[in-house]
Amino acid sequence: MGKEPEKIDKYGEVDLIAKGGMGAVYKAMHPTLNRPVILKKLTLRGKSAFSERFKREARILMDFRHDDIVTVFDHFKEGSSYFIVMEYVEGTSLEGLIKEHRYLDSVTAAYILLHCARALGYAHKRGVVHRDIKPANLLLSRDGAIKLADFGIAASTEDVDSGLTREGMTLGTPSYMAPEQFQNSRNVDARADIYALGVMAYEMLTGKQPFTGGFSPELIHAKQKGKYRNPRKYVPEISRQLVRIIRGCMKTSPKGRYQTVEQIIRRTEKLLKYYDKEAIREKLGSMVRLEENEQLLKPRKNLIRIVTRSVIAAAAVALLFTAGIKSTVFHPIFKGNTDGRLRITFSLPENAGYFHNLPVSAAVFSEENAEIPLVVKPAMFKIPEFINSENTDSTFSTLPLYLKTGIYRIKITCGPDIFWGSVYLPSGREQKRLHSGSDIYPETVKTFSIPEPAPSELSVALDIRDAVSGKDIGQDTQISMKTNRGFIPLSDITTIESGDVHLFRLTADGYIGQDYSLFLGEEISALKIEAVLLPKPALIILDTGNENIDLTVNGTSWIDLYMEDDSSGSPVTRMEAWNLHDSIPESMNLSPGRYRFEASRWGSRTRLDLSIVSGEKIELRITEVDGNIQLLRK
């Protein structure tokens, strides 16, 4: 074996780190920077493609300046060998860190993922796709710095015609490669790096790869199928946000994945928002240095949130204190004997108060002179039902008011109605005498109320239509109203009175019935109900047989599905827009009509035209015959 050189070009103190069939890696000292650097040497002869890739890696990295990408200082040729001079990262690779610690906690993994995504974002914006993202190519320093390295098989938009990657050529590390990269590495884009980033995140969190093996048909088939074990099955403590990020990265179809690393950056930044980044970096550095560090990374308290809450709390205390000086326990201390305590209440019948939802306000005026000046305009508050449980009225009240002894005129405004009343307010000493000490704070209460609205006859007109097509279905709709005898057809009811709540039920063959509960004020004499009914759906059972299927209905991935919402206590059918690119449901409730289902996978396409009717159940199955997919009705 030949003796290793003590100096290469201008770089001295040369130490061999690794050597292989294609070249060697040396550690050396930079003559002017006076710092250690890495010399990467290519010695392979007779393979121009390898030397061109080697030189291209040097050109790419020479133009890059990013904190999360290794810095290249120089490249040169000596004899028949090519050299790249790059930053020396004292530490280990992510691959070595995972081997040493089995797997990483969610916070540390998210921190590494964030910095790797930032490095890729920088490269992608400059038209460079790495194509070999894996733990071995992510370097970690002893102080916790993260550096992306090895752009040896990177693709650049500036080199599209260089011919280094031929049509159909496969480049990359199989376990981390995106499914489309196995078919043609030349035409992959940034989404291939995003897929590999998801695989790397999976491995950081579990210590295992979602797919293993070399360039084998089994591995390729497994990746195309897209099924892998949930990482939380291995480590239940894994953050659910990180699991969602992994899923977004590792969609089999490039169209279904995150489209840019910016989406990953935003999500990891949000996850790490309340953590101290320096503490995370310090823990990562100690892991690289193999030091004992049992530090548990905890979210730091959000200073802005604390300050905001403190300000709000202080304002609330000030407001309560100010209000208290005027109208609560503080005032009697100072003027409890001279000023009187007044409370104003206003009650509405249940129907008028609840269903009208009318605003209620109060104003107090002095009658000391003819101008009747405004004294105070207190807010009115709804008294909770448990306080007002003896009757069914809706009662409003002001906070207690402390005013000088005298006669006051009170104005109550309830929607369009105005009520006036006068009250004599005695002094606090007199109020105590009148109440004979029964109350700690005796007060004068002025109460207003309005009577139950008088009923009147009501005429009803209806306009009923199909919710999907807009077709007039009034002639086919049965309308009934709830009475003390149950639901009675509207045609059998001679008189409908206003000033009450009425429940109408609309039903029609082939449609989902609807109930309309309406309060009709006493001033209403005519009612028109314009309603729509959803046609009863058909049930489509869909067996895709493969997760790597793109499905469209009537030429689009968006489709309106029937959903049931039981959050209100009883199921309510509604329509909801669903994107089939995100996921394909196993069953779909669709409104009647004509549909064209089109399925595709890896260039193979199939379609099926269907005409469906209400209440029908249809089972569809997607199968593969001789590499071509078929969409069949069972």
Side-chain angles (χ1 to χ4, degrees):
M1 179 181 293
K3 183 181 178 181
E4 297 297 337
E6 297 180 357
K7 186 176 183 179
I8 299 175
D9 195 57
K10 59 185 178 181
Y11 302 96
E13 302 180 31
V14 176
D15 289 322
L16 178 66
I17 296 177
K19 190 172 184 179
M22 296 178 61
V25 177
Y26 299 93
K27 178 183 175 184
M29 186 62 66
H30 196 287
T32 56
L33 296 176
N34 195 29
R35 66 168 70 166
V37 293
I38 290 294
L39 299 183
K40 189 175 177 181
K41 176 184 179 183
L42 176 69
T43 58
L44 192 65
R45 295 179 176 84
K47 296 285 186 179
S48 60
F50 285 101
S51 61
E52 286 302 316
R53 282 202 184 92
F54 195 80
K55 288 186 284 186
R56 184 176 63 176
E57 179 184 8
R59 290 197 304 270
I60 289 173
L61 290 177
M62 283 284 288
D63 293 334
F64 280 7
R65 288 293 181 269
H66 191 274
D67 290 341
D68 298 320
I69 299 177
V70 292
T71 301
V72 167
F73 302 110
D74 192 11
H75 66 97
F76 60 91
K77 182 179 181 182
E78 184 175 82
S80 59
S81 299
Y82 295 92
F83 290 86
I84 297 177
V85 184
M86 60 178 59
E87 176 184 6
Y88 171 62
V89 180
E90 184 180 5
T92 187
S93 66
L94 178 58
E95 181 182 49
L97 191 73
I98 295 172
K99 287 180 179 178
E100 184 66 35
H101 296 275
R102 283 187 56 213
Y103 58 83
L104 310 181
D105 64 89
S106 292
V107 177
T108 304
Y111 182 78
I112 295 172
L113 183 65
L114 171 62
H115 283 269
C116 187
R118 285 174 175 171
L120 284 175
Y122 179 89
H124 292 168
K125 287 179 181 178
R126 286 153 182 79
V128 175
V129 181
H130 191 284
R131 296 196 297 189
D132 199 19
I133 295 297
K134 57 183 179 181
N137 288 336
L138 204 63
L139 306 180
L140 310 174
S141 74
R142 292 172 58 84
D143 64 353
I146 300 166
K147 301 284 183 177
L148 180 60
D150 202 344
F151 283 73
I153 63 169
S156 171
T157 53
E158 296 180 0
D159 294 311
V160 290
D161 296 322
S162 63
L164 294 180
T165 308
R166 297 185 300 276
E167 194 75 31
M169 180 181 286
T170 300
L171 294 174
T173 305
S175 296
Y176 304 91
M177 288 166 57
E180 67 272 16
Q181 200 168 345
F182 286 95
Q183 292 186 330
N184 193 337
S185 295
R186 180 178 184 179
N187 295 328
V188 297
D189 55 25
R191 293 173 293 184
D193 284 347
I194 290 172
Y195 182 94
L197 206 55
V199 177
M200 191 175 75
Y202 188 105
E203 186 174 355
M204 278 195 288
L205 292 163
T206 65
K208 303 178 185 297
Q209 297 171 351
F211 306 104
T212 58
F215 285 99
S216 65
E218 292 78 16
L219 174 69
I220 296 172
H221 178 71
K223 291 213 169 198
Q224 289 174 347
K225 200 169 183 180
K227 291 185 178 181
Y228 53 86
R229 191 175 186 185
N230 187 319
R232 286 171 61 88
K233 296 289 186 181
Y234 294 116
V235 185
E237 297 79 15
I238 293 174
S239 161
R240 294 184 186 277
Q241 295 98 313
L242 282 175
V243 173
R244 286 194 287 270
I245 290 173
I246 290 171
R247 287 174 181 164
C249 290
M250 290 183 59
K251 294 287 186 180
T252 304
S253 169
K255 292 186 294 184
R257 279 176 228 149
Y258 295 139
Q259 299 300 292
T260 68
V261 291
E262 294 300 324
Q263 294 171 272
I264 303 171
I265 292 171
R266 286 197 302 270
R267 284 162 174 79
T268 48
E269 285 179 339
K270 183 178 179 180
L271 191 153
L272 296 170
K273 183 177 180 180
Y274 299 120
Y275 288 88
D276 186 338
K277 308 303 186 298
E278 286 302 318
I280 302 173
R281 177 166 175 159
E282 173 56 33
K283 181 179 180 180
L284 178 59
S286 67
M287 294 171 69
V288 172
R289 298 190 300 270
L290 300 180
E291 296 175 355
E292 292 293 333
N293 187 338
E294 299 299 327
Q295 176 187 4
L296 181 63
L297 296 170
K298 296 181 179 180
R300 62 185 178 185
K301 293 182 178 179
N302 189 325
L303 182 60
I304 296 177
R305 182 186 294 176
I306 293 173
V307 172
T308 302
R309 287 179 176 175
S310 301
V311 171
I312 293 173
V317 171
L319 180 63
L320 289 174
F321 181 80
T322 303
I325 289 295
K326 287 188 175 182
S327 57
T328 55
V329 298
F330 298 100
H331 198 100
I333 297 174
F334 303 103
K335 295 188 176 182
N337 289 327
T338 57
D339 290 1
R341 177 173 166 128
L342 173 67
R343 185 189 298 273
I344 305 166
T345 65
F346 180 71
S347 62
L348 293 168
E350 183 182 14
N351 288 345
Y354 179 77
F355 290 98
H356 278 186
N357 196 25
L358 298 173
V360 180
S361 63
V364 180
F365 299 85
S366 171
E367 286 196 349
E368 291 182 354
N369 54 55
E371 295 181 359
I372 316 181
L374 176 67
V375 177
V376 66
K377 197 169 184 179
M380 298 205 77
F381 301 91
K382 177 79 177 293
I383 297 180
E385 286 185 11
F386 65 87
I387 295 178
N388 191 38
S389 59
E390 295 181 359
N391 56 64
T392 58
D393 291 351
S394 295
T395 303
F396 296 80
S397 172
T398 64
L399 291 172
L401 306 169
Y402 285 91
L403 303 172
K404 292 180 180 179
T405 300
I407 297 176
Y408 292 91
R409 189 174 298 179
I410 301 171
K411 175 185 176 183
I412 298 292
T413 304
C414 178
D417 299 320
I418 297 176
F419 301 85
W420 284 90
S422 295
V423 63
Y424 168 68
L425 181 65
S427 66
R429 184 182 293 107
E430 182 66 12
Q431 286 179 325
K432 290 177 183 178
R433 187 188 67 80
L434 291 172
H435 288 80
S436 302
S438 59
D439 295 323
I440 298 176
Y441 298 116
E443 62 187 17
T444 299
V445 179
K446 177 61 179 177
T447 301
F448 294 83
S449 61
I450 63 171
E452 189 79 27
S456 61
E457 290 190 7
L458 179 74
S459 63
V460 180
L462 300 117
D463 181 8
I464 317 299
R465 296 185 177 272
D466 184 304
V468 178
S469 67
K471 175 185 174 183
D472 186 345
I473 57 173
Q475 294 295 327
D476 303 319
T477 304
Q478 293 78 48
I479 305 106
S480 56
M481 190 179 84
K482 189 174 184 180
T483 68
N484 55 7
R485 294 178 294 142
F487 281 94
I488 305 297
L490 196 62
S491 58
D492 295 343
I493 298 176
T494 56
T495 302
I496 302 175
E497 293 185 344
S498 62
D500 201 355
V501 179
H502 296 289
L503 180 62
F504 297 93
R505 175 164 292 174
L506 310 178
T507 58
D509 290 340
Y511 290 86
I512 300 171
Q514 294 285 346
D515 288 349
Y516 288 82
S517 183
L518 306 172
F519 171 74
L520 308 174
E522 71 281 357
E523 74 280 1
I524 298 175
S525 60
L527 171 68
K528 182 178 181 181
I529 300 177
E530 294 184 358
V532 292
L533 297 182
L534 282 169
K536 289 182 179 178
L539 177 62
I540 307 297
I541 307 295
L542 188 60
D543 179 10
T544 63
N546 193 308
E547 287 191 1
N548 190 33
I549 292 291
D550 286 329
L551 182 68
T552 61
V553 179
N554 292 341
T556 176
S557 63
W558 286 96
I559 187 170
D560 291 338
L561 300 182
Y562 284 69
M563 300 290 181
E564 280 196 349
D565 181 7
D566 57 1
S567 59
S568 61
S570 58
V572 177
T573 302
R574 58 185 173 83
M575 300 289 282
E576 181 177 302
W578 188 280
N579 189 355
L580 297 173
H581 276 334
D582 292 338
S583 64
I584 300 174
E586 294 180 356
S587 63
M588 298 184 287
N589 288 303
L590 299 178
S591 58
R594 293 188 59 82
Y595 293 89
R596 170 166 290 181
F597 291 80
E598 293 185 273
S600 62
R601 184 172 74 89
W602 301 115
S604 177
R605 295 182 176 274
T606 182
R607 75 182 187 190
L608 179 66
D609 292 326
L610 289 177
S611 180
I612 62 178
V613 297
S614 293
E616 189 176 14
K617 180 180 177 181
I618 299 175
E619 295 186 44
L620 302 179
R621 182 165 55 94
I622 299 176
T623 61
E624 184 174 349
V625 179
D626 297 330
N628 296 315
I629 60 171
Q630 295 181 352
L631 180 58
L632 304 173
R633 178 172 180 173
K634 290 185 180 180

